Structure formats: C-alpha cells, structure tokens
Amino acid sequence: MSDRTERRGDTAGAGSLPGRVPLRPPANPVSRKAIVMWLLDGLFWSVLLVGGAFLLSGWIGDGRWSWLPEWLADGAGWLPALTAVLVVPAALAEPFWRYAVHRWELSGDVVYARSGWIDRQWTFVPVSRIQTVDKKQGTLERVLGLATVDIRTASHAGSSTIKGLDYGVAAALAERLAQRAEELRDDAT
C-alpha cells in the first residue's frame, strides 16, 4: 500500500497521533422533552428582554435623558422591535441546536458528555475519580419529567453536568455511577 493511500484512509485527521481513535459523539441523546424545556426558558427570557426594552424606550422617550443625541431619543420607539427581532429567533433556534449537540455516554469506567450551544464542551470523567453524584430537578424539569445529573470530582475541571435527561434515565445513571464509583474505590484499597 502506498504512502498516499495510507494518508487518505486516515480518519483521525491532520495533527492526530498515530494509532489514536478519532473523537466521536457520545452515544446517548438527551430527552426530546428537553427541547420544550429550553424553548420555554428561551421564550421567558425573550419576553423579559423585550419588556425591558419597551420600558427603556418609554423612559428615553420622556425626554429625561437630554444628554442623548436627538436621533437616538427620537428613535427609541424602535428598541422593543429591534430587541424582538434579535432575541426571539435565537430563542426559537437554540433548543433544536442544543438538542443536536447535547449527548452523554457511560462507557466502561468513563462518563463522556458533550454540551453547549455557541461553545462546545467535551467532558470525560473517570468513574474512579467521582466523589458525588447528584440528581436534581428544577420546577420546569419536574413539570416535564426531566432531571439533571451532576457528577462531581475533587477537581472542578473534572466535573460534569448532564441536563435534560428523562427522570428514570437520570435516576438509573446516578445509581449506576454511584455503585461503580464505590466498587472502584473498594478495589483501590
């Protein structure tokens, strides 16, 4: 096989180490109900921002801010519409983008999670390093039957949070991680 063929068949990409497996997405998606949670959260904040812009434009339009340029004071009525045009599409797109990105997997003795919207974060947490595993639910999560699993290590950088899991999946994952971490600690002593 020629050198050229070997390079073309290399799926790890440029700059990768020989013999390394390329980074792949974790196997398990979060619950589809997480889309609803993120959508409601985004719309809530959008309404607050547009409402705040409406109040601010009314306050600017009262003429109390004489130090503002006249064109800005006269155009303050456009502030709520401009805010809505910028914020609402992002609030509608964000949940679908986050659902496409957020994944998790318990593989062997490592928890692997990917999250983010604008920035992406890949987290690998060795089960042997886990100190606590917490399962929690906010109000909206409780209504939708979702939960969040917090995986904590001694190092904050090694910790991970997996949001948007079905409650049953989160409970089973938290229990499995706690049991496996205890087994590994017992083996180390």
Side-chain angles (χ1 to χ4, degrees):
M1 190 180 262
S2 73
D3 216 19
R4 182 183 202 137
T5 309
E6 287 179 53
R7 269 189 252 128
R8 210 176 322 141
D10 180 20
T11 58
S16 66
L17 298 174
R20 296 290 179 137
V21 176
L23 189 62
R24 63 168 176 75
N28 306 311
V30 296
S31 172
R32 290 187 71 73
K33 293 184 281 186
I35 295 171
V36 175
M37 179 182 67
W38 291 322
L39 181 64
L40 292 173
D41 187 56
L43 291 176
F44 172 77
W45 288 108
S46 295
V47 166
L48 282 181
L49 285 172
V50 171
F54 182 76
L55 293 173
L56 183 61
S57 71
W59 193 29
I60 291 172
D62 285 345
R64 294 183 194 155
W65 293 18
S66 58
W67 55 271
L68 283 176
E70 189 175 322
W71 64 269
L72 184 59
D74 292 342
W78 286 97
L79 187 59
L82 180 63
T83 303
V85 164
L86 295 174
V87 172
V88 172
L92 295 174
E94 176 199 10
F96 298 100
W97 186 260
R98 286 179 75 170
Y99 179 76
V101 171
H102 284 230
R103 297 276 183 271
W104 68 276
E105 183 176 342
L106 175 56
S107 177
D109 289 334
V110 175
V111 179
Y112 174 27
R114 184 181 70 183
S115 62
W117 177 39
I118 295 173
D119 293 335
R120 292 232 177 120
Q121 180 179 3
W122 288 265
T123 308
F124 297 88
V125 181
V127 175
S128 62
R129 303 275 178 154
I130 293 175
Q131 292 189 333
T132 61
V133 179
D134 297 319
K135 176 185 67 203
K136 62 183 181 181
Q137 284 183 303
T139 306
L140 195 52
E141 285 176 314
R142 202 169 27 248
V143 168
L144 295 171
L146 298 172
T148 297
V149 174
D150 281 329
I151 304 163
R152 301 286 171 234
T153 64
S155 166
H156 176 69
S159 300
S160 183
T161 300
I162 305 170
K163 296 182 179 187
L165 297 175
D166 279 319
Y167 183 81
V169 172
L173 177 62
E175 184 177 330
R176 188 170 171 204
L177 284 172
Q179 287 176 349
R180 186 66 185 134
E182 186 176 333
E183 290 170 4
L184 289 173
R185 267 194 297 278
D186 289 344
D187 288 347
T189 57

